Amino acid sequence: NGKLEGTFPLNLPPVLLGYQKDIESTSSALVPASALSLFITVDPLLPPPKEEEQGRSSARDAKMQEFAKEWIKGVRRSLP
């Protein structure tokens, strides 16, 4: 397919010190809802990772690999 597109919501703190809301903003919140819209194409297509590379990011540190696996699980749970 070679493309990635979507709108990804951004988590912002309730107050952004040093910034002001745009005067044209229709949002009644202190910080308006924000999102990042992306459209990325990859040409030529990247080959899929080899099977033995998919499960391993580093051969050095098993503790870091375990942390990374748990982090990826947490990120996937937080996605809609």
Side-chain angles (χ1 to χ4, degrees):
N1 187 318
K3 70 178 181 177
L4 168 70
E5 65 179 305
T7 301
F8 304 93
L10 300 175
N11 294 328
L12 297 175
V15 176
L16 294 174
L17 297 175
Y19 292 90
Q20 295 177 349
K21 188 167 42 169
D22 186 9
I23 22 179
E24 296 177 9
S25 176
T26 58
S27 172
S28 61
L30 204 55
V31 176
S34 298
L36 179 65
S37 294
L38 290 176
F39 181 82
I40 300 171
T41 59
V42 180
D43 188 27
L45 292 176
L46 298 174
K50 295 178 183 172
E51 188 63 40
E52 68 267 5
E53 293 176 0
Q54 286 182 348
R56 136 179 87 83
S57 58
S58 169
R60 291 187 225 167
D61 191 357
K63 188 175 180 180
M64 182 57 130
Q65 288 180 10
E66 199 57 40
F67 174 81
K69 286 179 188 177
E70 292 301 317
W71 183 82
I72 288 171
K73 287 178 187 176
V75 168
R76 286 187 176 146
R77 280 192 301 266
S78 69
L79 295 175

